Amino acid sequence: MSAKNTVVVDLKFERREVDAALVDAFAGRTVLRASDPDVDLSEARYAVIWKPEPDLFQRAPKLEVLFSGGAGVDHILAMPGLPDIPVVRFVDESLTTRMSEWVVLQALSHLRQVPAYLKQQRQRQWRELSQPEAKELTVGVMGLGVLGLDSVRKLKVMGFDVVGWSRSRKTIEGIETFDSGGLDAFLGRTDILVGLLPLTPDTRGIFDASLFSRLRQGGALGKPVFINAGRGGSQVEADLVAALENGILGGALLDVFEKEPLPADSPLWAMENVIVTPHAASASDVRALFRNAEAQMDRYEAGEPLQHLVDRKTGY
Ligand code: NDP
Ligand code: OXD
């Protein structure tokens, strides 16, 4: 078999899961695991990676295309020695669906006062709380890409008033949209803010005290709620903790953090109005990842353009 067809796999996923998925993947190609330090990667043409070892590009100097094991590519773009070759994002129905489930679940959980009821339960308190309708709440989604678009549509189906914000203005039926210049108007309408942004130089630290203070106060939930499943680097956690403590925010549901795993001494763990999930809003399905990468390799070898390419200038 020609070394020219060699695929390096460097994924920090469950080994058993990767091994099982490799059984049916990349037929006709040689697959090498970068986790084996003695394996020769020098002729490898493709790499499928998620948080790879820093020496990958030294060991595999002939790579032609990189396939990200996730939708976000910030950590790949930040890798030292990254070669100037195409980087393909992971775009997949199961990933998108899982994210929308998580977003809708979190929005509904606030609509139906789940955090407040859990608190009452711990205190053995039987007290019915107010029950606003979804249409009384505006959910504002920042990032209207593959994931944001699916989430806004599903939030809409649940009856929420939905608004969206992205760099370039989108036209989505039944949903008011804003571009970068419309951030203040967007925030002023928003009761539940959902972050589905990639981490780039422009979005780093965007969720800060100033942004939280511009969200709508006095909506059907009383105080605005912040939900983030984009990247932790976009949130300033000291500002977030302060906004939760001083009542600017009524609650937060966080899947991503400035530092992951979230350090044991982070105040976010113990705050009553915060729910933490461990970067698990939407996991990549390894079989689908390999199927996608394989299909793209076939396209590339047939001279067709690669899909879901990362734009190095914008960083996503
Ligand atoms: P896309 O690249 O499809 O969409 C990104 C969206 O963000 C676009 O709408 C884009 O605007 C917008 N955007 C980017 N930069 C800016 C900016 N400076 N100002 C305003 N809008 C901006 O990404 P996906 O939807 O596929 O994924 C989004 C992110 O979700 C990923 O990058 C990743 O970080 C995160 N993620 C998290 C997971 C988890 O489990 N927690 C799982 C998967 C992904 P425009 O449309 O104008 O280009
Ligand atoms: C991510 C992913 O980008 O898991 O976080 O896809």
Side-chain angles (χ1 to χ4, degrees):
M1 203 170 295
S2 156
K4 280 206 154 300
N5 272 332
T6 300
V7 181
V8 186
V9 173
D10 194 353
L11 296 167
K12 302 289 174 293
F13 296 172
E14 275 286 321
R15 172 126 202 163
R16 248 180 332 149
E17 205 191 329
V18 175
D19 287 346
L22 279 174
V23 171
D24 301 320
F26 304 116
R29 301 177 195 277
T30 305
V31 178
L32 301 174
R33 304 290 293 262
S35 51
D36 178 350
D38 299 324
V39 80
D40 175 12
L41 309 180
S42 61
E43 293 297 323
R45 196 171 179 195
Y46 307 107
V48 185
I49 57 178
W50 181 250
K51 305 195 173 147
E53 293 305 317
D55 64 353
L56 176 71
F57 303 128
Q58 282 155 320
R59 291 175 68 201
K62 293 193 186 160
L63 291 174
E64 292 175 41
V65 185
L66 295 176
F67 296 94
S68 167
V73 291
D74 43 290
H75 59 287
I76 294 179
L77 298 187
M79 280 185 71
L82 177 72
D84 188 15
I85 58 175
V87 179
V88 173
R89 268 171 14 93
F90 182 42
V91 173
D92 176 65
E93 201 187 319
S94 62
L95 187 87
T96 305
T97 302
R98 284 172 182 169
M99 180 58 84
S100 297
E101 286 166 1
W102 189 88
V103 168
V104 172
L105 171 74
Q106 306 305 349
L108 283 175
S109 116
H110 266 277
L111 171 71
R112 299 310 303 263
Q113 313 252 34
V114 172
Y117 280 124
L118 286 175
K119 185 174 171 194
Q120 287 191 183
Q121 185 179 339
R122 283 192 295 272
Q123 296 165 347
R124 297 170 187 257
Q125 214 184 352
W126 181 278
R127 184 162 68 96
E128 191 177 338
L129 300 171
S130 74
Q131 207 169 101
E133 287 184 56
K135 66 181 180 198
E136 294 169 55
L137 284 180
T138 301
V139 184
V141 178
M142 288 178 78
L144 296 174
V146 175
L147 303 182
L149 279 177
D150 195 64
S151 286
V152 292
R153 292 195 176 109
K154 289 175 179 165
L155 287 162
K156 188 80 193 167
V157 168
M158 290 314 304
F160 289 104
D161 177 46
V162 184
V163 295
W165 182 83
S166 52
R167 214 155 58 96
S168 57
R169 182 115 182 236
K170 303 283 178 292
T171 305
I172 315 167
E173 205 187 322
I175 290 167
E176 191 176 351
T177 55
F178 299 83
D179 63 15
S180 306
L183 185 58
D184 280 351
F186 164 87
L187 294 172
R189 288 271 306 275
T190 296
D191 301 303
I192 298 182
L193 178 66
V194 178
L196 281 176
L197 287 168
L199 182 61
T200 71
D202 290 338
T203 64
R204 183 171 289 283
I206 192 168
F207 300 116
D208 63 2
S210 153
L211 182 142
F212 297 136
S213 72
R214 287 178 280 157
L215 290 164
R216 173 155 69 186
Q217 290 289 335
L221 292 177
K223 290 172 184 169
V225 168
F226 175 54
I227 297 175
N228 194 12
R231 278 290 179 271
S234 294
Q235 73 206 12
V236 180
E237 276 166 25
D239 288 6
L240 177 55
V241 169
L244 288 160
E245 280 173 346
N246 64 25
I248 296 286
L249 289 174
L253 301 121
L254 307 167
D255 186 57
V256 288
F257 301 89
E258 282 175 359
K259 188 158 190 284
E260 293 179 8
L262 181 63
D265 62 356
S266 167
L268 291 167
W269 283 114
M271 295 182 89
E272 271 195 346
N273 48 356
V274 174
I275 290 177
V276 167
T277 56
H279 200 136
S282 180
S284 296
D285 174 333
V286 186
R287 284 177 201 276
L289 170 64
F290 290 161
R291 263 199 314 274
N292 273 274
E294 209 169 348
Q296 297 259 30
M297 289 172 198
D298 290 344
R299 288 177 68 90
Y300 177 72
E301 286 160 17
E304 292 168 35
L306 289 162
Q307 299 164 311
H308 314 307
L309 278 176
V310 174
D311 177 342
R312 297 274 187 110
K313 279 206 207 79
T314 56
Y316 66 99

